[in-house]
Amino acid sequence: MRYDVVIIGGGLSALVCGTRLQRSGKSVLLVSSGQNAMHFSSGSFGFLGRLPDGSAPDDLIDSVINLPEVHPYRKIGPERLRTYAGQTIGFFESAGILLHGDPTHNSYRMTASGICKPAWLAMEDVSLFAPGETPSGGKALVVTLKGFTDFNVPFISSAFTKMGYACRCVEVEMEEIARLRKNPTEMRSVNIARVLEGQQALDRFISGVRGKLKDEDTVVLPQVFGLKDTSPLAAIRSRLPAHVHFVGTMIPSVPGIRSQMCLKSAFQAAGGTFLPGDTAVRAGFDSTGRVSSVYTANLGNTPLEAGEFILASGGLWGKGLEASYDSVKEPLFSLDVDSPRERKEWYDSDFFRRQAFTGFGVVTDESLRALKGGKTVSNLRVIGAECGGANPLEEGSGAGIAIMSAFMAADSILGRI
Amino acid sequence: MIHNEHIRSSNFEECIKCTICTEFCPVIEVNPLFPGPKQAGPDGERFRLKNSFFFDENLKYCMNCKRCETACPSGVKIADIIHSARMDYGTVTPHLRERILAGTDMMGTLARPFAPVVNAVAGSKAGKFMMDKVLRIDRRRSFPKYAAHGFNRWFRKEKAALQDRFASQVAFFHGCSTEFQHPEVGKAFVEVMNAIGVGVRLMDEKCCGVAMISNAMWPEARKNAVHNLAEFRKTGLPIVTASSTCTLTLRDEYPNILGLRNDDLRDNIVIVEKFLYDMVDEGKVKLVFRQDYKAKAAYHIPCHMEKLGWSIFTRRLLEMIPGLDLTVLESGCCGIAGTYGFKKENYSYAQAIGQPLFDAIRAEDPGFVVSECETCKWQIEMSTGYKVLNPIVLLSEALDLEKTRMANEK
Ligand SMILES: Cc1cc2nc3c(=O)[nH]c(=O)nc-3n(C[C@H](O)[C@H](O)[C@H](O)COP(=O)(O)OP(=O)(O)OC[C@H]3O[C@@H](n4cnc5c(N)ncnc54)[C@H](O)[C@@H]3O)c2cc1C
Ligand code: SF4
Ligand code: SF4
């Protein structure tokens, strides 16, 4: 089975890259084992949350020079990064995902436990706050659903209090939601979102909040609306006589899941082929060391052939790398991995300190082509969390790297670089 | 025991509690009694292993569509865990209704001689009323019609003697619906295979057992499985099927639920669309299509084809037909899940699950729908009025069989 490009992975980087290629006339196949990091994301994208010395970056693109030379951002280079950062909002809009934020500067988002973290761009139900937002003096009603524990109301209201709001916390009680409690593990953001997808349930919720509103000018809600599309968000915004902030819940992430589904639909609408629930298990190389084919668990002996291959398998977390006691390997192509030889250098025994293993990835050349035994594999590019030289968790750069490297790999295959 | 062996292979402890499976389960969306894949599967398993008291009979609402497994990021075999638990802890024994619905081959054999009568009764108001009241088979459901003459009889009479002249051969696992309700599927299969120069053998097959598995008839399911596996080993030929559900059952449910090993055969069991595509892709076979063929079709990917990951073969194959305007429908469950939707207590859930698909078909307004699954066919035809063709039937109509035969003559 032949395509122009075969991509291994189905996360943010794979879908962005695949859609860009397919829209430019390439035939693209994407094979994806399971779901991916978007399902657990905050609903906001990080580009560069902090610099290696711990300080906060100002202009994001100018700050990249402070990163080590092996970092994918350094390989993409500031000029291209600026162009790509400028294209990001438009690209996502074309897939039906509205992002907001400043493409070259960080704002802040609030986590489920009321902590403010740097964020680059965010989905429409993730409120962003300007750095050091000045006390507004407003009044906020912090609302949760009775029985929902993945949204920490005391912490969130204290965070809003610090921002200068006078907060009042209330619970909305709904019979449909209470029913979820029958199974204690099902009281999660996505289950609630599914219930509130129903028009009647949503109406009841909105009137519930209206009934509790006194003189507040701001309402703070958990991100449990709009699993399939954003229409519940619009309904809430238009029918509550107050400014509405949506704040993160514990995982899974409703905006993340919705956006992943939008991206997948955009890829398929462009004509791309998506193989869900299948795993690339082995690869074939030709005599010059180029990848010639990939075999998957489901397709068995039918090879997937292509001129270009892209590895977007998500690093250790996505199973794009495999760790054993004494080594870290890239299982599909046996590519070079940038993990230190000594196991004790992989991690810090203090869990909350910088962990080296969260940054392990495949070693690539200047144009993100993979290295195998020190030699470049000329038709295999590595993107997203699988790409070495960075530590997305530490840097707060996960989505930025995924999107920037995806654009760059697509452009280089299209001969634009 | 089977169960212990199963746990090791299904890894319920690999669940990372992300609830993504729940997001993809069509049942939990419409039926509040069903605990959902995560709770019914890996979460419940932890408790059940401690004490069978935690077994919940509502696990029976799982349709075994496997959409949860396709979505799980950790590869947990959720539906296998659910059905193994039903097998190990379930106390409800199958009643007459379950035996009637699941006994696809026995019932077919009994019904066929009286096909016109059975069809008329099953289709009549009075018959439906009786089935509804006595058997709790929902009266709103239309029954697939029994064909008066089976596929086997046609094959023996018309085709069996002609098969020896082909150098390469396959064994055709035709399944119950081809034998009893849709012999045209089997006929198309034989015509197409013969046209590309491949001979067809039939085996002494028994129902794959899928309906027995979902109706908790475990000993019967195992007996059929043991018999079929022995037949497969005896022929030594590639086992080619025309139904996605039979295929998944033979390949995956035998080892994963019934605990019967088939590693030696697994790669040899394929659905005809994959078989054909591979032959064409490897350049071993040429397909010549009719110039005057024109049709507009919508492809509905059955759940089990999705789980097999093979819809791509059907799609690529159908895309070769010059006169076919093909749309692939958004993948979603039709709601019937074999015998599930026939039961009175499931009828309204089944229709609610299938609603988005029915709407999509109506919006598309194709000449007909294509699908590899016979129960999807019944459900879609009953609920939308659009005709549903098995892809092999469509292929046999679109191919110029004579020119294909000539192109493949050695
Ligand atoms: C829990 C978590 C939360 C995060 N939250 C954020 C956030 O809020 N903001 C942010 O900016 N970044 C976040 N990140 C960082 C994240 O890494 C990036 O944002 C980005 O989503 C990574 O995308 P990716 O495509 O590189 O990898 P992934 O999303 O991990 O996707 C990898 C895909 O490859 C598939 N795969 C792997 N091997 C194979 C194979 N052999 N065959 C077929 N498929 C295969 C996997 O199944 C998976 O679908 C988070 C990361 C994690 C782990
Ligand atoms: S999708 Fe898989 S890992 Fe996630 S909760 Fe369900 S079974 Fe567990
Ligand atoms: S097999 Fe289908 S019905 Fe059963 S739990 Fe999984 S998704 Fe739900």
Side-chain angles (χ1 to χ4, degrees):
Chain A
M1 202 170 284
R2 213 183 153 78
Y3 291 85
D4 294 332
V5 185
V6 165
I7 303 181
I8 295 110
L12 182 59
S13 61
L15 285 164
V16 169
C17 187
T19 305
R20 195 167 168 109
L21 284 165
Q22 185 76 40
R23 284 181 181 168
S24 306
K26 298 281 177 195
S27 67
V28 183
L29 175 132
L30 231 122
V31 50
S32 169
S33 306
Q35 304 296 316
N36 53 78
M38 289 271 273
H39 287 82
F40 309 96
S41 81
S42 53
S44 70
F45 292 157
F47 189 97
L48 188 58
R50 57 170 153 174
L51 294 171
D53 66 6
S55 63
D58 182 26
D59 181 285
L60 293 173
I61 313 296
D62 291 344
S63 305
V64 162
I65 193 75
N66 299 304
L67 296 170
E69 262 178 34
V70 290
H71 197 284
Y73 283 160
R74 296 289 302 273
K75 295 179 182 173
I76 299 167
E79 261 166 56
R80 251 182 249 134
L81 283 176
R82 203 170 285 282
T83 312
Y84 291 163
Q87 292 172 348
T88 304
I89 291 181
F91 175 87
F92 281 85
E93 197 178 339
S94 75
I97 302 162
L98 295 186
L99 297 178
H100 60 120
D102 177 345
T104 55
H105 290 85
N106 280 335
S107 314
Y108 288 87
R109 64 169 170 100
M110 196 180 288
T111 68
S113 39
I115 298 167
C116 282
K117 290 209 164 160
W120 172 46
L121 301 173
M123 294 155 204
E124 56 188 298
D125 44 346
V126 179
S127 290
L128 289 178
F129 304 92
E133 191 163 293
T134 44
S136 70
K139 291 186 173 176
L141 184 70
V142 182
V143 182
T144 190
L145 288 140
K146 191 168 165 53
F148 182 45
T149 53
D150 286 353
F151 183 68
N152 195 316
V153 174
F155 287 4
I156 287 162
S157 76
S158 91
F160 273 87
T161 307
K162 271 193 214 136
M163 281 198 276
Y165 288 91
C167 293
R168 197 160 60 86
C169 304
V170 293
E171 284 183 337
V172 171
E173 192 171 352
M174 290 180 67
E175 195 204 325
E176 303 89 320
I177 303 282
R179 229 182 275 143
L180 293 172
R181 296 214 81 168
K182 187 164 166 272
N183 303 305
T185 53
E186 301 293 302
M187 191 59 135
R188 308 292 295 272
S189 58
V190 280
N191 306 68
I192 295 175
R194 190 175 295 110
V195 172
L196 293 174
E197 210 107 81
Q199 193 56 49
Q200 289 181 341
L202 184 65
D203 287 347
R204 254 199 306 285
F205 174 77
I206 295 175
S207 357
V209 178
R210 285 185 73 121
K212 301 209 189 265
L213 256 180
K214 287 184 186 154
D215 53 350
E216 287 85 2
D217 49 44
T218 299
V219 171
V220 181
L221 296 175
Q223 290 163 356
V224 293
F225 305 93
L227 198 54
K228 292 201 179 97
D229 59 53
T230 53
S231 59
L233 302 175
I236 290 171
R237 287 210 165 101
S238 72
R239 288 164 54 195
L240 285 182
H243 183 70
V244 181
H245 279 305
F246 292 99
V247 171
T249 64
M250 303 297 272
I251 60 162
S253 157
V254 172
I257 290 171
R258 179 183 64 236
S259 302
Q260 131 84 24
M261 296 202 262
C262 288
L263 281 176
K264 184 177 155 225
S265 306
F267 172 67
Q268 289 176 313
T273 305
F274 191 88
L275 294 184
D278 198 1
T279 304
V281 288
R282 74 195 155 85
F285 291 87
D286 70 13
S287 55
T288 65
R290 286 167 62 92
V291 182
S292 53
S293 56
V294 160
Y295 293 83
T296 77
N298 284 343
L299 302 190
N301 51 10
T302 312
L304 291 171
E305 294 162 321
E308 301 286 345
F309 291 83
I310 294 174
L311 186 62
S313 49
L316 274 174
W317 193 84
K319 296 197 177 157
L321 294 177
E322 267 173 22
S324 60
Y325 190 79
D326 55 3
S327 68
V328 179
K329 292 205 168 90
E330 188 288 304
L332 185 57
F333 301 98
S334 305
L335 302 172
D336 300 350
V337 177
D338 63 3
S339 57
R341 197 174 293 261
E342 290 294 325
R343 183 184 162 89
K344 63 177 187 298
E345 290 171 35
W346 293 0
Y347 58 90
D348 190 313
S349 53
D350 178 352
F351 183 75
F352 293 100
R353 300 257 296 273
R354 178 183 194 281
Q355 296 293 344
F357 72 85
T358 58
F360 291 171
V362 169
V363 186
T364 64
D365 74 0
E366 288 306 297
S367 53
L368 303 182
R369 287 179 171 89
L371 295 193
K372 181 174 162 74
K375 287 207 194 92
T376 301
V377 184
S378 62
N379 66 341
L380 176 62
R381 290 168 179 80
V382 187
I383 60 174
E386 182 73 2
C387 190
N391 194 324
L393 203 63
E394 177 65 19
E395 301 159 0
S397 60
I401 292 175
I403 298 164
M404 299 298 114
S405 61
F407 280 168
M408 158 119 157
D411 282 358
S412 93
I413 286 174
L414 294 167
R416 293 179 184 162
I417 291 177
Chain B
M1 245 205 46
I2 296 169
H3 197 56
N4 288 335
E5 197 183 2
H6 169 68
I7 287 165
R8 260 182 277 117
S9 68
S10 75
N11 303 344
F12 77 95
E13 67 286 327
E14 278 188 23
C15 168
I16 56 168
K17 312 294 167 208
C18 64
T19 80
I20 283 168
C21 48
T22 306
E23 175 203 330
F24 284 87
C25 174
V27 174
I28 195 163
E29 220 174 307
V30 299
N31 180 352
L33 295 173
F34 180 56
K38 173 165 162 286
Q39 175 66 23
D43 280 5
E45 189 72 0
R46 263 185 319 139
F47 290 102
R48 292 190 291 260
L49 283 175
K50 285 215 152 134
N51 190 331
S52 60
F53 163 80
F54 291 104
F55 175 73
D56 178 352
E57 285 293 347
N58 287 330
L59 262 53
K60 71 172 182 227
Y61 289 113
C62 168
M63 310 191 286
N64 203 20
C65 69
K66 309 229 180 242
R67 292 206 176 252
C68 52
E69 291 185 10
T70 311
C72 171
S74 315
V76 178
K77 292 180 184 165
I78 307 158
D80 292 355
I81 296 176
I82 295 175
H83 291 283
S84 301
R86 290 180 59 223
M87 175 155 78
D88 289 356
Y89 307 114
T91 49
V92 177
T93 45
H95 291 295
L96 179 61
R97 174 188 67 176
E98 278 66 28
R99 294 192 181 278
I100 288 182
L101 287 174
T104 46
D105 47 3
M106 187 189 66
M107 289 309 293
T109 313
L110 291 177
R112 189 167 45 210
F114 313 105
V117 182
V118 173
N119 291 338
V121 172
S124 74
K125 265 208 169 119
K128 287 186 171 190
F129 183 79
M130 284 301 289
M131 288 198 288
D132 189 300
K133 284 287 167 261
V134 181
L135 295 171
R136 295 179 54 74
I137 293 173
D138 200 281
R139 74 177 86 163
R140 287 161 290 184
R141 173 76 49 201
S142 350
F143 256 76
K145 294 209 171 14
Y146 284 107
H149 297 293
F151 165 70
N152 265 272
R153 184 169 132 164
W154 170 84
F155 181 80
R156 260 182 277 116
K157 222 169 117 194
E158 308 277 336
K159 294 286 170 184
L162 306 174
Q163 303 304 313
D164 283 345
R165 63 199 160 101
F166 298 104
S168 77
Q169 301 277 334
V170 297
F172 178 33
F173 186 92
H174 53 69
C176 303
S177 68
T178 298
E179 177 59 19
F180 297 111
Q181 286 103 1
H182 307 297
E184 72 276 9
V185 173
K187 292 178 187 173
F189 181 97
V190 177
E191 297 294 357
V192 174
M193 283 296 170
N194 286 180
I196 61 166
V198 174
V200 175
R201 303 279 158 185
L202 299 189
M203 297 166 287
D204 174 23
E205 70 172 62
K206 286 210 183 327
C207 168
C208 68
V210 66
M212 295 164 177
I213 293 174
S214 40
N215 287 292
M217 292 163 61
W218 312 109
E220 293 85 346
R222 290 199 98 210
K223 199 169 145 211
N224 280 19
V226 168
H227 173 93
N228 285 334
L229 290 174
E231 276 295 303
F232 297 172
R233 291 192 175 100
K234 202 165 83 193
T235 76
L237 294 171
I239 313 298
V240 186
T241 60
S243 147
S244 44
T245 294
C246 298
T247 318
L248 186 84
T249 307
L250 303 173
R251 279 172 62 98
D252 295 342
E253 309 285 68
Y254 282 7
N256 295 345
I257 294 183
L258 300 176
L260 297 167
R261 299 196 64 158
N262 65 354
D263 323 20
D264 55 325
L265 297 165
R266 206 172 167 275
D267 287 343
N268 233 358
I269 305 172
V270 290
I271 199 161
V272 59
E273 288 76 23
K274 175 166 165 48
F275 181 84
L276 279 174
Y277 181 84
D278 283 343
M279 298 279 272
V280 175
D281 199 36
E282 290 162 22
K284 290 181 186 155
V285 151
K286 280 200 191 59
L287 300 179
V288 186
F289 292 98
R290 274 168 44 194
Q291 289 305 314
D292 59 346
Y293 185 83
K294 272 238 151 333
K296 177 174 161 151
Y299 175 33
H300 161 63
I301 305 171
C303 295
H304 291 165
M305 202 63 182
E306 191 78 274
K307 174 63 185 161
L308 286 164
W310 287 356
S311 63
I312 188 170
F313 294 112
T314 304
R315 208 175 130 177
R316 297 278 299 232
L317 205 55
L318 297 183
E319 280 167 359
M320 293 176 193
I321 305 174
L324 185 69
D325 170 8
L326 184 76
T327 3
V328 180
L329 296 164
E330 175 76 34
S331 178
C333 182
C334 75
I336 191 161
T339 57
Y340 182 94
F342 279 87
K343 300 179 186 172
K344 194 170 169 65
E345 68 273 25
N346 294 343
Y347 181 85
S348 59
Y349 299 137
Q351 296 315 102
I353 290 168
Q355 199 57 50
L357 173 68
F358 309 150
D359 293 343
I361 293 172
R362 289 197 191 99
E364 196 58 46
D365 191 25
F368 53 86
V369 176
V370 196
S371 187
E372 297 90 343
C373 171
E374 61 287 350
T375 54
C376 291
K377 172 183 163 77
W378 302 340
Q379 170 78 336
I380 295 170
E381 289 186 344
M382 182 195 92
S383 310
T384 67
Y386 285 89
K387 193 168 171 47
V388 182
L389 296 187
N390 187 296
I392 192 69
V393 174
L394 164 58
L395 277 167
S396 76
E397 287 171 7
L399 279 171
D400 188 323
L401 290 170
E402 198 43 46
K403 287 203 177 125
T404 302
R405 193 177 342 269
M406 276 156 23
N408 291 292
E409 247 160 20
K410 307 270 148 57

